[in-house]
Amino acid sequence: MTLERSFGMVKPVVTALKDDYVKSGRYTVNAKLAIDVNKKQDVNPNASLPPAQLREELAGDSAPALVRIDFAATFRDHLLVYGWILGLRRWVAGAEIRYGGAVIDLTSLGIPVPRPDVTQHFAAHIKTEDDNHGFCLLVALPDGGTRPGYLRLVVSLHSGETLDRVWPVGTGDAGVTEILQKNRPVLAWMLQHLPAPDASLLGELWESMAPGAGKERDSNSALQLQFGVDACVLLERRLLVVLGWLNDRDQLVTTARAKVAHQTLDFLQDIQVAAQPGGHANRPHGADASMRPGGDANVRQTVRGEAVPQRGFSWVRALPQAIEESTDVVFEIAAGTRQRYVRRRVCANALDARSDLSRVLHRMEPDAAIDLIERIAARLDDTPDAHATFKWLAAVHAQIVERLPAVIPTLELPRCAVHIDVAIAVADQGVFLAGWFYAEPGAVKQLAVHAGLESHRIDDTWFRTSRVDVTTHLSSVQIACATHEHGFACFVPLQNFKAVPFLSISLGDGSVRRVRLPKSPPATALHTVRAILTTFHATGRGLRPFLDRHVGPAVRSVWQSRARAEQPLSVDRFGIPPSSPRVSVIVPLYGRHDLADYQMALFADDPDFQSAELIYFVDDPSIYDEFRARCRDMHEIHGVPFTIAYAGTNSGFAGATNRAASIATADRLLLMNSDVFPKQTGWLGRLLSLYGSLERPGPLGVKLLYEDGGLQHAGIAFRRYAPWDGLWINDHPQKGQSPSGLAGIRSVEAVTAACMLVDTSLYRELGGLCEDFIVGDFEDSDFCLRAAAAGRPSAVALDVELYHVERQSQDRIGNAHWRSNLTLYNCWQHDLRWAAGIEAQQREAQQREARHS
Amino acid sequence: MSAPRVLIISHGHPDFSIGGGEIAAHAHWRELRRRGIDAMFIARVAQSPGHTASFSLRSADGMEVLFSAPPVDHFRHSQPSRRVIYEEFRALLTRFAPTVVHFHHYVHLGLEMIREVRRTVPHAQIVVTLHEFLAQCHAQGQMLKATGLLCTKAQPLDCHQCFPSVTPQEFFMRELFIKSFLNLCDRFVCPSAFLRNRYVEWGLPADKMSVVENGQPLRAASGGGEPRAGQPPGGDPSGGGELRGGEPPGEYLRTRFVLLGQLSRFKGTPVLLEAARLLPKRLRDLVTIEIHGSIQFAVDEFKAQFEKQLLGLEDTVRYGGPYRPDDVHDIIQRSGWVIVPSIWWENSPLVIQEAFAAGRPVLCSNVGGMAEKVVNGVNGLHFRVGSASDLAARIEEAATKPGLWERLRTGVPAPPRIDATVDQLLALYGAESAAGATGAAPPAAAPPVGLRSLA
């Protein structure tokens, strides 16, 4: 017979079998049975009726058989049954085989067999929805039970009816052998198509029946289906690691022991069984059989089409005594009165053990492998000399981490979803994470970030942000959310920063899923700061703790680790500089270098600029060449002597000003922005003489106006800013209002460095502007507060007016989100240093005012 | 005082580009030369001479020079290739050593030239003639907003509305920049009081501002319009009611109108055509409107609109196409009225001078320089700027009211002439002239009789 299709082959066999039975007479049945068996399988002409109604005909002795046992045999304490029930998958509520006192549940222990021959047999009269009528069963029988020659099949249908039949069972070596011979093709088919354990069991049994097999085998028990060992390794001669699969241990297994070199250990202790999957639509395979090496979802299909998982387990146990030589580990499992032994050899050789375990780990699903490694690593502390093993384990761990997925698709996790948008490396301190996370209550226990075997929980202190786009995404996959708060951002300090970091999600059902963090490409410090600062919007609760714990430390670490090669300054002078300048005017340039041309057009007719040292510091490599090429032109036309300096890099406002100040030669420094323009000539001389009239002055500012003449600055006052959790910000009171009525020299809390006069010696004493402030902002008020602390408070000369055409020199920052959050960071840093000082200062000032009034 | 040496700088040469400014500058220079004064004329041209020097000689004696200035930044009128200024121009200044440098414009040249003059010849008088509002208005200096409204004051926020891509701050910086050069000038010459007042409002010092008309060159006698040599600026009644020999009668002439010049939206051509359409039927047959001028430089949509508007007006409007400057007088002579319907302020339109030279009253918009040169009810009629219906009403009045045309003709003044203009300029320069300038601050030229004095 050719095997066109295995199913097709079965059909003629069954027909042949039926005839054989009829003819062989090798059974002892009662008359009723004989009638049943001998009867031709006539089809009820009213077969369009559902089975319940067909059943009524049973009473009339013209029972159409809706079930049939094709053959059954008992041998080697096992029962083998092959048969079919019409509509087994869909119409049958329960089916039992009663044999010799044992009751065997067909619906859970039977293995489904497709029977198109049956479908076709009934096709003309009954429409069945599928071919799933057949079953085969191979079960162990309990000791001491009888082995009768017949079995009883009891079927109950969904319609409420029951079918009760008795069928012959072959017993005795000869009889069984004949049955097996006769049904050789079916058996061969079964060997090929049954699940592996059943097939191997069948194979063994058959072998034992076949002449000349002669092998002595352990008598297989029902336990074959429930217990098996895939790998058994002894690490460092003391740590036993066992992987296998185990089913229904609570129900069938009563004792489980492992014996190794005279040591007996309780196997059920410390065992970790894979969690029941619980039938999620999210996980199509259903089973979490990832414990098993090879990663196959080891799932048994029952006759009713259910997928019953074989549950994998792992067991890590430290032996009380080390093993000196390679030896056997014997596992003893008992269920009821049956016992089962499994032997496995373990090597005492450490390298062999390691390579064995490594092989096993690499065949496992990464999540399961990492779980196991973490448990082994935890155990390693128990054993001495574990350092080398730990290192090796960490190396294997790193390899397995590489196999973790980069992304977990939204619907894959049960009742939760997570996605990492960015993982920004923060110098050597850790990683800054941003992404989104959604979970129903109880679905997730915790999230943590790992680097090597170091782990750090993140979901207890992270910052949540609003993510409307995520809500939209989730609703597109039929997940409804109550809020938009899905985003998260946090800083994860990690010591093992060289290892590939990954995120672990501990689910409510006890399992753990892991995903690699995305790699962030190397970038400059400023780019990294920008990446961090654009992961969130400064709204929502918990802004201050987020800054304190996450953003602040991360940005600070990145900024402090920036490359600061101290490059020599390139200095060029145009025109003849004054020999003893009264003041050094320092103007940083970034982006719009043409602002220098505008300024010089206005300095050209101002005699003060013939006796001032004017220094333009180019803080932007992209404009240096172009600007430098125009300098001679500017000098020839405007006639103002000036110097340009360049450090080959972008240092930010503070850094640029500090470096320029380092080459200034005058006793006074005027810090000036490139977008500040004089209203009249002679302003600088007036400012200098006002400064000279003060006693031990601190920084002296000026009145700055907008281009429409409105007030831009008349001194800085600190006030709390509610939208940023009350951080102190630099306010310009009366901004935009009429500047009239403001005259004279006024003491203020701070002045802007857009136009600020200060003693060069004081500037250098205080260390110049603080370069911890990134790009530019708050370094001027920080400077003024430091000056005040040194006894040199700030003042503003309101009779000296210049225009401050705001925003022209802030072209550098561009994006509003980045700009805003950068200001937030600088503001936070400033507040951290000065909040107490500012409060004290303001309290004092209030008290003074109260006294005076 | 030594004899003056005058350097006249123009943004164009009349041989290469047509424009009132270039013509005036060149005429100014020719008159100085005619009087034997050492005067050099530098005109900026777009073409390169083909060699590597930026200056090239136009006349053999080197007193007429072309300047191939590199393209300027038109936003702030700055010359990016400043080396040309502080090397070549500086050399020229050093060599010529002018005592007066008169800029007829800075556009296309670069404001830096002004500072260069101040630096290299510190004692020279720097005079600048203002032809329009470019220093304060980036919209071609017309102070006409993008919305079509006339602009009365240049302010950064308003400028930003007309040019949304340029920030108000940028306009403010432009103002600071331009003023830093204009501050170096000793005197500003304004062809109209209207323009002068606008600049004073903008911030130029009033005591530096003088009103001097752009005088026209002496023209050979043609068609009866004899030049009145030596005539002081003032009214020249061409004879009350007396017709010149060969002229058609007033009754006929008053029904004939002419518009001359570059045709464009700003010049108000569409307003005139619409007014023609609005004329009642009987007037349409009675009145003739001639339009002369080139539409070559107009934008496509104007050309399309122009052609469309002409359709259906054939009985009234005739389009005569471009004309030569020499034909202006003849063209005007054929009509009784000259219409100047510009929708922007205008400074001192040449066509008004040409109309007056031909003894014709002017029908013009009631704003700016037009309304200054043409006095309503004295030597012309005003209509509401941009209003076709009002213009139509004025046309009707002009064509039908008995005696109106004759009366207005009597108020037509003689237009200023170049010699009078140059006299005034020389007085401004403070140079010793035959008339014996006092050397005190030169008086602002007295406005011609008939001009309304603006507050």
Side-chain angles (χ1 to χ4, degrees):
Chain A
M1 250 175 259
T2 55
L3 293 167
E4 319 163 337
R5 256 179 71 186
S6 51
F7 302 158
M9 187 201 79
V10 172
K11 173 186 168 184
V13 168
V14 169
T15 322
L17 281 174
K18 185 188 75 178
D19 292 334
D20 278 347
Y21 262 35
V22 169
K23 287 179 205 157
S24 69
R26 253 199 235 171
Y27 47 83
T28 53
V29 293
N30 59 30
K32 191 161 191 293
L33 272 178
I35 293 169
D36 278 344
V37 170
N38 283 332
K39 204 129 187 105
K40 261 203 174 312
Q41 311 304 322
D42 283 337
V43 178
N44 190 334
N46 301 329
S48 55
L49 298 168
Q53 270 142 297
L54 287 173
R55 157 90 180 78
E56 281 170 356
E57 323 246 47
L58 267 177
D61 254 3
S62 58
L66 302 170
V67 304
R68 185 180 164 87
I69 302 283
D70 292 307
F71 66 85
T74 295
F75 54 102
R76 297 282 181 275
D77 293 324
H78 278 76
L79 176 64
L80 174 67
V81 183
Y82 183 81
W84 55 268
I85 303 171
L86 185 65
L88 173 55
R89 184 168 283 196
R90 291 183 190 273
W91 297 341
V92 171
E96 273 172 8
I97 286 179
R98 298 183 188 165
Y99 181 72
V103 177
I104 300 155
D105 181 9
L106 187 58
T107 53
S108 62
L109 294 177
I111 295 162
V113 177
R115 295 293 297 268
D117 59 310
V118 174
T119 310
Q120 203 185 6
H121 187 73
F122 289 95
H125 305 278
I126 300 177
K127 200 133 204 94
T128 55
E129 284 154 37
D130 51 40
D131 292 334
N132 296 314
H133 314 289
F135 64 87
C136 76
L137 183 73
L138 182 59
V139 290
L141 297 169
D143 274 342
T146 55
R147 305 277 184 267
Y150 65 92
L151 59 80
R152 218 168 128 206
L153 173 63
V154 182
V155 179
S156 64
L157 303 174
H158 282 302
S159 58
E161 305 301 325
T162 38
L163 304 173
D164 197 341
R165 292 270 185 278
V166 171
W167 301 88
V169 178
T171 55
D173 280 358
V176 171
T177 311
E178 206 184 320
I179 289 176
L180 294 180
Q181 282 299 110
K182 281 208 153 65
N183 295 296
R184 207 187 183 83
V186 175
L187 291 170
W189 177 90
M190 282 166 67
L191 278 177
Q192 278 202 332
H193 290 90
L194 290 183
D198 306 283
S200 74
L201 173 61
L202 179 61
E204 283 181 28
L205 292 173
W206 196 7
E207 274 290 318
S208 70
M209 292 302 295
K215 265 196 231 171
E216 272 298 319
R217 281 184 181 257
D218 287 343
S219 68
N220 294 300
S221 64
L223 291 171
Q224 178 67 18
L225 288 172
Q226 283 92 30
F227 176 74
V229 173
D230 295 310
C232 182
V233 173
L234 189 67
L235 267 189
E236 305 307 318
R237 303 177 301 132
R238 242 186 120 147
L239 200 60
L240 193 58
V241 179
V242 180
L243 292 163
W245 48 273
L246 176 67
N247 227 7
D248 289 334
R249 67 180 176 118
D250 296 331
Q251 289 166 18
L252 291 174
V253 171
T254 47
T255 36
R257 283 198 289 260
K259 286 191 184 153
V260 57
H262 314 298
Q263 305 174 51
T264 302
L265 309 156
D266 183 348
F267 184 67
L268 291 181
Q269 186 190 20
D270 295 335
I271 203 171
Q272 185 153 323
V273 186
Q276 269 299 5
H280 291 283
N282 296 347
R283 197 88 195 278
H285 299 298
D288 184 15
S290 50
M291 289 287 197
R292 296 212 67 193
D296 299 323
N298 194 23
V299 167
R300 282 184 57 232
Q301 264 221 327
T302 64
V303 293
R304 293 205 292 181
E306 293 159 347
V308 178
Q310 306 282 38
R311 297 169 70 184
F313 74 85
S314 65
W315 189 56
V316 180
R317 187 69 186 275
L319 299 178
Q321 277 181 322
I323 308 290
E324 297 308 319
E325 291 169 347
S326 303
T327 182
D328 278 354
V329 179
V330 180
F331 296 91
E332 193 182 295
I333 312 289
T337 52
R338 299 300 293 177
Q339 278 175 332
R340 163 96 161 106
Y341 299 91
V342 174
R343 296 186 109 87
R344 283 284 188 268
R345 192 105 188 131
V346 285
C347 297
N349 181 303
L351 290 174
D352 285 347
R354 281 188 197 176
S355 71
D356 280 347
L357 183 59
S358 177
R359 223 182 336 199
V360 167
L361 287 170
H362 280 294
R363 279 164 51 212
M364 287 167 80
E365 289 274 334
D367 279 315
I370 292 176
D371 270 340
L372 183 57
I373 291 178
E374 284 173 3
R375 285 170 57 223
I376 295 173
R379 286 285 184 289
L380 273 181
D381 295 340
D382 299 336
T383 59
D385 300 320
H387 189 65
T389 310
F390 194 90
K391 274 182 73 174
W392 163 81
L393 204 57
V396 177
H397 181 268
Q399 288 170 344
I400 291 172
V401 165
E402 291 289 330
R403 289 200 290 129
L404 282 174
V407 162
I408 302 182
T410 299
L411 291 177
E412 205 170 288
L413 295 172
R415 295 166 44 212
C416 64
V418 69
H419 181 80
I420 311 283
D421 292 324
V422 282
I424 303 161
V426 175
D428 291 344
Q429 308 295 315
V431 66
F432 191 92
L433 225 55
W436 59 265
F437 171 69
Y438 161 80
E440 286 172 34
V444 171
K445 288 201 204 129
Q446 74 163 33
L447 286 94
V449 169
H450 305 251
L453 291 159
E454 177 194 356
S455 82
H456 187 100
R457 186 171 179 181
I458 60 173
D459 61 314
D460 46 359
T461 58
W462 65 13
F463 182 69
R464 300 310 298 269
T465 63
S466 172
R467 289 289 298 263
V468 182
D469 59 320
V470 172
T471 306
T472 311
H473 166 70
L474 291 174
S475 71
S476 75
V477 292
Q478 269 82 52
I479 298 176
C481 311
T483 73
H484 294 303
E485 222 183 57
H486 308 293
F488 70 83
C490 59
F491 172 54
V492 187
L494 296 169
Q495 286 169 335
N496 196 2
F497 61 88
K498 285 211 175 73
V500 174
F502 61 93
L503 175 78
S504 70
I505 305 128
S506 304
L507 298 170
D509 62 7
S511 63
V512 180
R513 291 295 302 278
R514 299 170 183 79
V515 64
R516 253 186 302 128
L517 296 184
K519 286 197 177 43
S520 58
T524 63
L526 190 61
H527 275 112
T528 306
V529 166
R530 180 175 179 152
I532 293 174
L533 288 174
T534 46
T535 56
F536 65 96
H537 285 274
T539 55
R541 305 176 312 260
L543 181 65
R544 192 63 198 265
F546 179 51
L547 291 169
D548 289 335
R549 258 181 254 159
H550 296 284
V551 176
V555 172
R556 192 189 294 133
S557 297
V558 172
W559 190 245
Q560 278 172 354
S561 72
R562 71 192 184 281
R564 267 179 292 183
E566 191 68 11
Q567 284 180 337
L569 285 181
S570 306
V571 178
D572 288 292
R573 294 190 200 275
F574 298 92
I576 301 167
S579 48
S580 329
R582 297 197 290 159
V583 61
S584 295
V585 179
I586 296 176
V587 185
L589 288 177
Y590 186 98
R592 290 207 52 174
H593 61 82
D594 63 329
L595 296 176
D597 191 34
Y598 282 94
Q599 283 188 327
M600 279 196 265
L602 298 167
F603 298 161
D605 299 313
D606 192 336
D608 288 338
F609 276 86
Q610 299 299 323
S611 58
E613 180 182 43
L614 176 60
I615 303 174
Y616 281 101
F617 189 92
V618 182
D619 198 35
D620 183 351
S622 72
I623 62 166
Y624 178 62
D625 291 328
E626 195 182 311
F627 175 66
R628 187 162 174 270
R630 296 199 191 185
C631 283
R632 182 170 169 232
D633 287 356
M634 285 194 286
H635 173 65
E636 290 290 346
I637 290 296
H638 300 302
V640 178
F642 65 97
T643 303
I644 69 171
Y646 175 60
T649 182
N650 163 240
S651 320
F653 180 69
T657 307
N658 288 346
R659 294 220 66 190
S662 70
I663 61 165
T665 61
D667 288 336
R668 309 264 188 269
L669 286 179
L670 182 82
L671 273 54
M672 190 170 181
N673 277 13
S674 53
D675 56 2
V676 169
F677 303 105
K679 209 171 161 212
Q680 291 160 324
T681 56
W683 62 276
L684 187 53
R686 268 201 316 283
L687 187 63
L688 284 166
S689 63
L690 284 171
Y691 191 82
S693 74
L694 300 170
E695 216 177 285
R696 283 181 48 84
L700 184 64
V702 302
K703 187 197 285 182
L704 294 172
L705 305 173
Y706 286 123
E707 66 279 356
D708 54 77
L711 186 67
Q712 196 268 326
H713 165 271
I716 289 174
F718 299 114
R719 69 172 179 89
R720 286 195 186 275
Y721 189 55
W724 284 353
D725 270 6
L727 290 175
W728 287 98
I729 57 160
N730 296 355
D731 189 30
H732 292 188
Q734 310 252 348
K735 199 185 225 197
Q737 312 286 325
S738 161
S740 64
L742 295 168
I745 298 184
R746 203 183 276 193
S747 284
V748 285
E749 288 181 276
V751 290
T752 178
C755 191
M756 175 206 280
L757 183 63
V758 68
D759 265 349
T760 311
S761 55
L762 176 63
Y763 187 87
R764 292 195 178 134
E765 228 172 85
L766 294 173
L769 299 179
C770 177
E771 295 181 41
D772 289 345
F773 294 96
I774 303 179
V775 178
D777 219 349
F778 291 93
E779 64 280 283
D780 44 13
S781 55
D782 173 82
F783 181 80
C784 291
L785 286 165
R786 281 188 281 132
R792 307 283 285 268
S794 307
V796 63
L798 295 165
D799 296 318
V800 178
E801 292 180 334
L802 287 91
Y803 293 109
H804 186 187
V805 182
E806 253 186 348
R807 312 186 117 223
Q808 304 311 310
S809 68
Q810 275 175 33
D811 226 21
R812 63 176 73 197
I813 304 180
N815 178 280
H817 180 202
W818 155 227
R819 205 188 318 148
S820 166
N821 278 0
L822 179 62
T823 306
L824 173 64
Y825 170 77
N826 285 327
C827 176
W828 167 82
Q829 196 173 211
H830 186 261
D831 180 284
L832 205 60
R833 285 183 204 184
W834 293 112
I838 292 170
E839 272 175 72
Q841 204 171 284
Q842 291 197 346
R843 244 198 326 269
E844 247 183 67
Q846 274 172 11
Q847 286 167 356
R848 243 181 292 132
E849 259 185 56
R851 279 201 298 273
H852 284 296
S853 63
Chain B
M1 192 193 293
S2 54
R5 296 171 62 75
V6 183
L7 174 59
I8 296 184
I9 301 181
S10 168
H11 64 291
H13 195 289
D15 290 352
F16 296 106
S17 56
I18 319 159
E22 301 82 310
I23 295 172
H26 202 249
H28 173 194
W29 172 70
R30 281 204 316 275
E31 177 59 21
L32 287 173
R33 294 269 289 187
R34 196 184 66 79
R35 297 185 190 201
I37 294 172
D38 274 333
M40 179 189 285
F41 183 72
I42 299 182
R44 174 258 173 196
V45 290
Q47 328 56 326
S48 153
H51 55 62
T52 56
S54 305
F55 291 92
S56 55
L57 301 185
R58 187 74 175 162
S59 69
D61 63 353
M63 295 304 257
E64 193 176 358
V65 172
L66 300 180
F67 178 29
S68 303
V72 297
D73 166 7
H74 284 286
F75 181 68
R76 52 180 200 156
H77 304 294
S78 162
Q79 173 57 259
S81 304
R82 287 168 171 180
R83 204 187 50 80
V84 163
I85 296 175
Y86 65 79
E87 286 187 357
E88 290 185 76
F89 182 55
R90 185 175 292 181
L92 188 149
L93 283 173
T94 311
R95 194 158 155 207
F96 181 64
T99 58
V100 177
V101 179
H102 189 143
F103 287 88
H104 264 267
H105 222 314
Y106 44 83
V107 77
H108 293 303
L109 291 160
L111 286 160
E112 289 85 353
M113 291 181 77
I114 296 176
R115 189 172 281 288
E116 183 55 38
V117 170
R118 179 53 78 229
R119 180 207 170 278
T120 303
V121 274
H123 301 293
Q125 285 261 310
I126 301 180
V127 181
V128 174
T129 296
L130 300 167
H131 291 278
E132 75 306 283
F133 306 108
L134 263 180
Q136 26 182 317
C137 174
H138 185 50
Q140 286 126 12
Q142 289 175 333
M143 297 194 77
L144 181 67
K145 293 197 195 216
T147 54
L149 294 174
L150 286 167
C151 177
T152 52
K153 190 162 168 65
Q155 283 175 303
L157 196 57
D158 300 48
C159 300
H160 167 65
Q161 302 279 30
C162 289
F163 294 93
S165 63
V166 183
T167 61
Q169 290 79 21
E170 205 68 51
F171 277 111
F172 177 70
M173 283 162 30
R174 174 186 185 272
E175 183 182 335
L176 288 179
F177 184 79
I178 293 174
K179 278 183 174 170
S180 77
F181 297 101
L182 296 182
N183 283 343
L184 300 169
C185 302
D186 296 301
R187 186 144 302 277
F188 296 94
V189 172
C190 311
S192 71
F194 172 76
L195 189 111
R196 185 201 64 164
N197 293 342
R198 209 30 96 76
Y199 271 100
V200 169
E201 270 167 36
W202 187 59
L204 294 186
D207 58 352
K208 285 192 185 176
M209 315 290 289
S210 305
V211 180
V212 178
E213 263 292 9
N214 282 331
Q216 293 313 304
L218 307 173
R219 192 183 291 118
S222 67
E226 281 169 6
R228 308 265 196 270
Q231 189 82 10
D236 170 42
S238 28
E242 256 182 53
L243 298 173
R244 301 220 178 92
E247 254 187 16
E251 247 182 76
Y252 169 75
L253 278 179
R254 72 176 183 212
T255 63
R256 299 189 64 87
F257 301 78
V258 67
L259 181 150
L260 280 157
Q262 281 260 325
L263 305 182
S264 71
R265 184 174 75 90
F266 308 108
K267 291 295 187 180
T269 324
V271 178
L272 175 58
L273 291 172
E274 179 61 16
R277 202 180 62 78
L278 290 174
L279 289 172
K281 186 72 175 66
R282 57 185 170 82
L283 277 176
R284 291 273 289 269
D285 297 331
L286 180 65
V287 152
T288 306
I289 299 174
E290 281 182 22
I291 297 183
H292 296 268
S294 163
I295 58 168
Q296 182 191 356
F297 299 108
V299 294
D300 290 337
E301 46 182 292
F302 171 80
K303 288 184 200 172
Q305 192 197 14
F306 181 68
E307 257 131 57
K308 192 167 154 216
Q309 278 182 305
L310 278 179
L311 294 174
L313 295 173
E314 292 87 351
D315 51 348
T316 315
V317 178
R318 283 179 217 145
Y319 176 49
Y323 61 94
R324 296 183 312 137
D326 287 346
D327 296 331
V328 165
H329 191 83
D330 291 339
I331 292 170
I332 295 180
Q333 285 277 290
R334 285 205 301 271
S335 297
W337 302 88
V338 174
I339 303 184
V340 185
S342 298
I343 61 172
W344 75 286
W345 306 100
E346 290 282 3
N347 179 12
S348 176
L350 187 58
V351 70
I352 294 180
Q353 292 184 11
E354 286 163 344
F356 286 171
R360 298 292 185 258
V362 173
L363 195 54
C364 69
S365 311
N366 64 341
V367 293
M370 294 177 281
E372 179 182 320
K373 308 297 180 190
V374 177
V375 186
N376 192 23
V378 172
N379 45 31
L381 294 175
H382 290 173
F383 70 92
R384 284 199 307 276
V385 60
S387 168
S389 62
D390 203 40
L391 176 55
R394 291 287 82 72
I395 291 174
E396 178 171 355
E397 188 187 339
T400 55
K401 195 161 171 193
L404 176 64
W405 182 75
E406 289 79 357
R407 183 165 65 75
L408 293 179
R409 275 197 70 184
T410 65
V412 167
R417 288 183 358 215
I418 187 65
D419 50 348
T421 301
V422 170
D423 283 341
Q424 287 170 12
L425 289 177
L426 285 171
L428 289 180
Y429 296 162
E432 286 172 338
S433 68
T438 54
V449 164
L451 276 181
R452 225 175 24 195
S453 62
L454 298 168

